Amino acid sequence: MIEVKELTKSYGPTLAVNRVSFDANAGEVVGFIGPNGAGKTTTMRILTCYLTADSGSATVAGYDVLESAIDVRKNVGYLPESAPLYTDMGVVEYLKFMADVRDIPKSTRKDRLKTVVEICGLESVIQKDIGELSKGFRQRVGLAQSLIHDPPILILDEPTSGLDPSQTIEIRNLIKDIGREKLVLFSTHILPEVAATCDRILIISRGQLVANGTLDDLIGQVRSINRLYVAIRGTEETITPQMNQLEGITGFTHVGTNDGVVSYDITLEGDGDDVSELLFQAAVQNGWSLAELRQESIDLEDVFLHFTSGEQSTTTTSPQPSESSDTPVDQE
């Protein structure tokens, strides 16, 4: 459904997308993730014919994005991060307008409007003006317009931006349902959302595609990452210097101190058995009490940091502010 080969795009001296290649098929939900300015939005804008590439090629639903832009747009539903809604229009008025733009036959228009209103949960605001809606409901209206013509491909840039947790779960489930029949390519900064939703993950960094595979595949590629969580009864001032002296530790983060117990996330070389023994020895020598010592599993955050910066995570993933798509330099 999507085939990208050696796609390249520059903004003046800035190389925003650098020879990116990948493909995606019907029935897939593909997560497209990367740091701010990595090239995600630029790539999506090229695939939806909002921008032209400097070189390389891309086909969407079998149509070349440069030579057959109208056919591409007929087969794609696109939700930008900041949905370009007309705030002075009512929700129904806007969706009818989009149905006209999409040239949906009058015989099926009413059914399509009803379907997207139900799918996107807009029943409670259907009589309101878009300007009266919260950001979350505006995002739902934007998603509804991307679905109005029942396209085989959905390209969504930060589709859950501004939604509360329950709305996020609803949209996530919707994306999974849609992905059973259509191709869904979406970007997000919320890594647990990607892990819970996607069949495959693309990671882009500094304009280059650095990883492509299922979560299990990517975890297998960075299996050398090893982490321990340790909680020691003592003081940070006495424990931290000892951590700096232990062999086999490549990095550690002070998680917190609670009731005299100091907690650390530790990144290791190798399997960590030697470090565990050294920690026990240090505890005995210093009169500490080990409250907890456990092996930490690899997650998508570790994978993400490994491929984008060569570092491993020692903190818990949390939603980050969404990237702006208005920056003229890299469109990210």
Side-chain angles (χ1 to χ4, degrees):
M1 297 296 286
I2 293 179
E3 186 174 11
V4 176
K5 293 182 179 179
E6 300 288 312
L7 205 64
T8 301
K9 176 67 177 179
S10 296
Y11 298 98
T14 302
L15 188 58
V17 178
N18 184 11
R19 302 180 67 182
V20 166
S21 299
F22 66 89
D23 55 36
N25 304 306
E28 276 193 307
V29 178
V30 180
F32 196 32
I33 62 176
N36 288 337
K40 301 185 298 298
T41 296
T42 295
T43 302
M44 287 182 161
R45 288 179 174 178
I46 292 172
L47 293 177
T48 53
C49 305
Y50 279 77
L51 292 174
T52 57
D54 297 336
S55 62
S57 65
T59 59
V60 177
Y63 298 102
D64 187 277
V65 296
L66 185 60
E67 297 177 355
S68 305
I70 297 298
D71 290 313
V72 169
R73 290 169 177 166
K74 287 179 179 178
N75 286 276
V76 170
Y78 178 41
L79 176 62
E81 182 181 354
S82 298
L85 304 174
Y86 298 108
T87 56
D88 58 339
M89 297 179 72
V91 173
V92 172
E93 182 186 6
Y94 173 74
L95 292 178
K96 286 181 177 178
F97 168 72
M98 292 307 302
D100 286 336
V101 170
R102 290 293 188 177
D103 200 23
I104 297 174
K106 291 184 178 180
S107 59
T108 61
R109 189 170 301 181
K110 186 176 180 179
D111 288 339
R112 286 306 304 160
L113 287 171
K114 181 180 179 181
T115 298
V116 298
V117 166
E118 290 178 353
I119 287 174
C120 298
L122 294 171
E123 295 93 341
S124 62
V125 298
I126 196 67
Q127 299 300 328
K128 292 185 177 182
D129 288 343
I130 293 174
E132 301 175 32
L133 304 182
S134 66
K135 183 176 180 181
F137 272 111
R138 292 189 190 191
Q139 197 74 357
R140 289 174 179 234
V141 174
L143 184 60
Q145 68 79 24
S146 72
L147 290 166
I148 193 73
H149 57 302
D150 196 21
I153 300 170
L154 278 180
I155 297 180
L156 313 175
D157 198 354
E158 300 285 350
T160 58
S161 175
L163 303 185
D164 64 34
S166 63
Q167 293 170 336
T168 297
I169 292 171
E170 290 174 6
I171 298 300
R172 179 191 302 167
N173 291 335
L174 171 60
I175 289 172
K176 292 176 71 174
D177 289 342
I178 293 171
R180 294 191 180 104
E181 297 179 357
K182 304 177 187 293
L183 165 61
V184 182
L185 174 68
F186 79 98
S187 72
T188 181
H189 276 109
I190 306 174
L191 298 186
E193 187 172 285
V194 176
T197 308
C198 296
D199 303 303
R200 189 154 53 93
I201 300 168
L202 307 174
I203 302 178
I204 189 171
S205 180
R206 300 178 181 89
Q208 293 184 307
L209 195 70
V210 294
N212 180 354
T214 66
L215 179 57
D216 289 342
D217 290 340
L218 300 185
I219 287 176
Q221 293 179 40
V222 294
R223 185 63 68 180
S224 60
I225 297 174
N226 201 3
R227 298 188 306 169
L228 288 177
Y229 172 86
V230 61
I232 304 171
R233 188 169 297 281
T235 64
E236 184 184 354
E237 291 76 14
T238 59
I239 296 172
T240 297
Q242 295 289 331
M243 289 289 183
N244 282 316
Q245 297 176 19
L246 292 178
E247 295 182 4
I249 292 180
T250 59
F252 63 90
T253 299
H254 174 228
V255 176
T257 302
N258 186 27
D259 293 332
V261 176
V262 187
S263 302
Y264 297 90
D265 274 333
I266 302 172
T267 308
L268 312 172
E269 293 177 346
D271 59 16
D273 290 342
D274 292 341
V275 174
S276 297
E277 185 176 343
L278 289 173
L279 281 169
F280 276 112
Q281 292 174 359
V284 171
Q285 292 170 1
N286 291 278
W288 302 332
S289 172
L290 278 181
E292 187 174 0
L293 177 63
R294 68 170 186 263
Q295 188 102 12
E296 294 283 75
S297 60
I298 301 171
D299 58 18
L300 181 55
E301 185 181 5
D302 295 299
V303 170
F304 179 85
L305 293 177
H306 176 84
F307 282 109
T308 59
S309 65
E311 299 175 1
Q312 285 75 51
S313 166
T314 55
T315 57
T316 303
T317 305
S318 59
Q320 302 176 33
S322 61
E323 58 185 315
S324 170
S325 59
D326 297 324
T327 305
V329 174
D330 59 10
Q331 298 295 313
E332 285 294 319

